[in-house]
Structure formats: structure tokens, C-alpha cells
Amino acid sequence: MQDVKKKIIFNAIAKTVKRLRGNKSQFMLGAEYDIPSSVLSDLERAVKDPQLTTLFKLSGAFGLSISEFMKELEKELPEKFSVGDE
């Protein structure tokens, strides 16, 4: 994947996690759902590529299915975004 597209995805994840986390601290969210606060911090700063298991944990933490979480993430991506070559 191109570095530019990867960065767009990382930024979308960062915005989505921040938005869905609301006022709950990274520490509390992480403690409740077995996600290290350092991982949450890296995700919210758009510097970490999350593992699939982390995405499942996050979706559960926000009361969403993984597909609902991905739809929330898609809201932060540019219109008609694709990771494939065009």
C-alpha cells in the first residue's frame, strides 16, 4: 500500500477512535477492554497500524460490531477512497 494511503487510513482510525472514545480516558478504556493505553495513544496520534484483534476490541468497547466500527471509520475517509491502484 502506498505510504500516502496508509497515512490516510491511520488518520481516519485516529479520528474515529477519538470521536467514539468521547470523554473516557485512554487509560480507563484500555483497562476495561485489555488494550494498552500506549496502543490507544499511538492509534490516536496516527502512528500505529493496529492489529485486527485490537480493532475487534475497540469495536466491542464502543458497543459496535466490527462492521459498524468500519462504517464509522469510513466516515473519516475521503469519498470513494480505495487502497487499490487506480
Side-chain angles (χ1 to χ4, degrees):
M1 182 181 334
Q2 299 172 359
D3 287 342
V4 171
K5 289 186 177 186
K6 197 172 191 179
K7 191 64 178 170
I8 290 170
I9 293 170
F10 286 6
N11 285 329
I13 292 169
K15 290 177 184 177
T16 302
V17 172
K18 285 179 192 176
R19 177 171 45 87
L20 294 176
R21 181 170 60 83
N23 292 329
K24 185 174 272 194
S25 73
Q26 291 175 349
F27 178 80
M28 290 303 296
L29 182 70
E32 290 175 20
Y33 293 93
D34 192 31
I35 306 167
S37 56
S38 61
V39 169
L40 290 170
S41 175
D42 287 347
L43 289 177
E44 289 189 8
R45 290 182 294 121
V47 297
K48 183 154 178 84
D49 194 353
Q51 293 182 356
L52 185 58
T53 54
T54 301
L55 295 176
F56 272 90
K57 287 179 182 181
L58 284 170
S59 67
F62 301 134
L64 303 171
S65 69
I66 191 68
S67 61
E68 291 169 328
F69 181 74
M70 289 298 134
K71 286 179 184 174
E72 290 297 318
L73 192 149
E74 283 181 322
K75 292 177 184 178
E76 301 296 341
L77 293 171
E79 190 173 329
K80 297 184 182 180
F81 178 80
S82 171
V83 294
D85 293 330
E86 299 173 5

